[in-house]
């Protein structure tokens, strides 16, 4: 029997440009509340952040969806908001409501954050790297292990607003009133997240995803805010990580950036792949980007709740749109707690038929 090599992992093959068919699959938020075994560990852990910072728990919930469904990629269980927490802007998760932080409203709060090179940041995050090391040892060899972080604009928007406001008015407002301050915050986040991703690679991840979940609040008008606050800082992160981890594979998910924005992700950030949200027509996007560009996505999470023929049709549409092109199958945003497990099984059976 021939020896399987690391680069033979299906998701890594796609990220290096190979059109694997049917495409390998994982889903965003694949470890989560739709799984009874997740809810059981979540209850034992107490708070959501205790779950993230306790390697025994984080490893266990990361492995759950791999055991159950055999996804081709496993994403480390953590959250993008461990970064503000590590910068000493403490984060709490309120049951049924979401994350809460003390809002960063001006220079005073910014000056209280830890500097990017403060070793305390990475002492705080040590359990995350420990979880990565254990995961790489425990996962099936062929499963790609993904690390991740939030993009600077998305993380900054939670830091500034103190929560996920619908239209990110506080962060856009601050970017208008005090652009120098927001720029300094973005720059701090770029530096910290480069180090954070490099350490995830050193601990054993095969590739990473950068979540720009709030790209949709940055209009292309007004001097191309999307470039200024999102794509340019992400490009610095991509280059900064690759300078230290040559050939590092990076996916960028720029939710809400529209067909035009999605088409710009790979050329403007230097990422290896664009994660496509559910609002974009995948066939239309594929038609306007080079055949060699790697895509990921993009079944609507609500269609996965619905199941049945609607789900079959959505899976078939993705298969059809990406045939002969490098693609990683996923949803167009995170899986929701009310998703029936049988629908996930049906989706994967249909994809792999
Ligand atoms: O994808 C995975 O399975 C990996 C783990 C992961 C989580 N959050 C676990 C989580 C990842 C990659 C994230 C990213 C994340 N976190 C994003 C970007 C992706 C996106 O969804 O757009 C954002 C914006 C956050 C911030 C965040 N974390 C919010 C707004 C919330 C509350 C909303 C909710 O669903 O409750 C969280 C909590 C969170 N992060 C949960 C999970 C499984 C649910 C918390 C719980 O179990 O109580």
């Amino acid at each position: 029997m021939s020896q399987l090599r690391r680069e033979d992992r299906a998701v890594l093959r796609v990220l290096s440009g190979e059109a694997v068919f049917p495409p390998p699959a994982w889903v965003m938020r694949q470890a989560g509340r739709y799984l009874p075994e997740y809810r059981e560990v979540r209850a034992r852990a107490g708070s959501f952040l205790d779950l993230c910072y306790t390697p025994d728990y984080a490893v266990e919930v990361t492995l759950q969806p791999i055991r159950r469904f055999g996804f081709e990629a496993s994403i480390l269980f953590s959250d993008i908001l461990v970064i503000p927490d590590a910068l000493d802007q403490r984060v709490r998760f309120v049951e049924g409501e979401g994350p809460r932080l003390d809002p960063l409203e001006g220079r005073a709060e910014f000056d209280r954050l830890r500097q990017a090179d403060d070793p305390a940041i990475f002492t705080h995050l040590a359990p995350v790297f420990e979880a990565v090391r254990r995961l790489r040892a425990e996962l099936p060899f062929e499963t790609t292990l993904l690390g991740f972080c939030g993009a600077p604009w998305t993380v900054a928007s939670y830091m500034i607003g103190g929560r996920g406001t619908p239209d990110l008015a506080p962060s856009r407002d601050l970017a208008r009133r005090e652009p120098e301050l927001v720029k300094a915050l973005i720059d701090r986040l770029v530096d910290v997240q480069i180090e954070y991703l490099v350490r995830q690679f050193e601990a054993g991840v095969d590739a990473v995803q950068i979540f720009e979940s709030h790209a949709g609040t940055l209009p292309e008008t007004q001097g191309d805010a999307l470039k200024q606050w999102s794509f340019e800082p992400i490009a610095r992160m991509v280059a900064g990580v690759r300078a230290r981890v040559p050939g590092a594979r990076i996916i960028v998910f720029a939710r809400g950036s529209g067909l035009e924005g999605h088409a710009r992700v790979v050329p403007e950030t230097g990422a290896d792949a664009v994660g496509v949200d559910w609002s974009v027509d995948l066939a239309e996007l594929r038609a306007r980007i080079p055949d060699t560009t790697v895509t990921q996505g993009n079944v609507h999470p609500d269609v996965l709740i619905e199941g049945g023929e609607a789900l079959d049709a959505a899976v078939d549409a993705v298969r059809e749109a990406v045939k002969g092109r490098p693609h990683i199958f996923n949803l167009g945003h995170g899986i929701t707690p009310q998703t029936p497990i049988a629908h996930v099984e049906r989706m994967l059976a249909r994809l792999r038929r």
Side-chain angles (χ1 to χ4, degrees), residues 215-342:
T217 60
L218 291 166
E220 288 171 66
T221 53
Q222 295 169 1
D224 202 352
L226 191 58
K227 181 160 200 89
Q228 181 184 1
W229 298 115
S230 177
F231 292 170
E232 191 278 329
I234 293 174
R236 277 189 279 149
M237 286 174 58
V238 170
V241 171
R242 292 224 187 96
R244 293 175 55 198
V245 183
R249 296 297 184 194
I250 302 173
I251 305 165
V252 170
F253 177 60
R255 183 164 80 91
S257 63
L259 182 67
E260 198 55 47
H262 279 76
R264 291 170 53 190
V265 165
V266 167
E268 293 190 27
T269 68
D272 298 286
V274 52
V276 184
D277 77 29
W278 54 259
S279 75
V280 168
D281 184 305
L282 188 58
E284 213 180 318
L285 177 68
R286 285 274 22 157
R288 56 185 295 162
I289 59 178
D291 284 348
T292 50
T293 300
V294 183
T295 46
Q296 174 180 278
N298 78 338
V299 169
H300 199 306
D302 290 352
V303 177
L304 186 57
I305 299 174
E306 192 181 338
E309 286 173 13
L311 176 59
D312 292 349
V315 172
D316 292 354
V318 171
R319 278 171 52 116
E320 215 35 61
V322 304
K323 220 168 233 170
R325 274 72 164 271
H327 184 81
I328 300 161
F329 186 90
N330 206 313
L331 301 182
H333 197 200
I335 188 170
T336 54
Q338 61 270 44
T339 305
I341 286 166

Side-chain angles (χ1 to χ4, degrees), residues 152-263:
W153 172 256
T154 292
V155 175
S157 71
Y158 282 98
M159 295 175 77
I160 293 166
R163 56 193 293 171
T165 58
D167 61 351
L168 298 192
S171 41
R172 280 185 302 150
D173 189 46
L174 193 65
R176 216 171 14 246
R177 283 188 293 114
E178 292 202 58
E180 287 310 312
L181 178 62
V182 176
K183 188 174 181 317
L185 176 59
I186 296 274
D187 290 349
R188 176 86 51 97
L189 288 168
V190 167
D191 291 343
V192 171
Q193 312 252 48
I194 288 171
E195 185 68 34
Y196 185 45
L197 292 181
V198 166
R199 290 189 190 218
Q200 291 183 38
F201 274 106
E202 288 170 353
V205 303
D206 296 305
V208 296
Q209 175 155 316
I210 299 175
F211 286 89
E212 185 70 289
S213 298
H214 293 315
T217 60
L218 291 166
E220 288 171 66
T221 53
Q222 295 169 1
D224 202 352
L226 191 58
K227 181 160 200 89
Q228 181 184 1
W229 298 115
S230 177
F231 292 170
E232 191 278 329
I234 293 174
R236 277 189 279 149
M237 286 174 58
V238 170
V241 171
R242 292 224 187 96
R244 293 175 55 198
V245 183
R249 296 297 184 194
I250 302 173
I251 305 165
V252 170
F253 177 60
R255 183 164 80 91
S257 63
L259 182 67
E260 198 55 47
H262 279 76

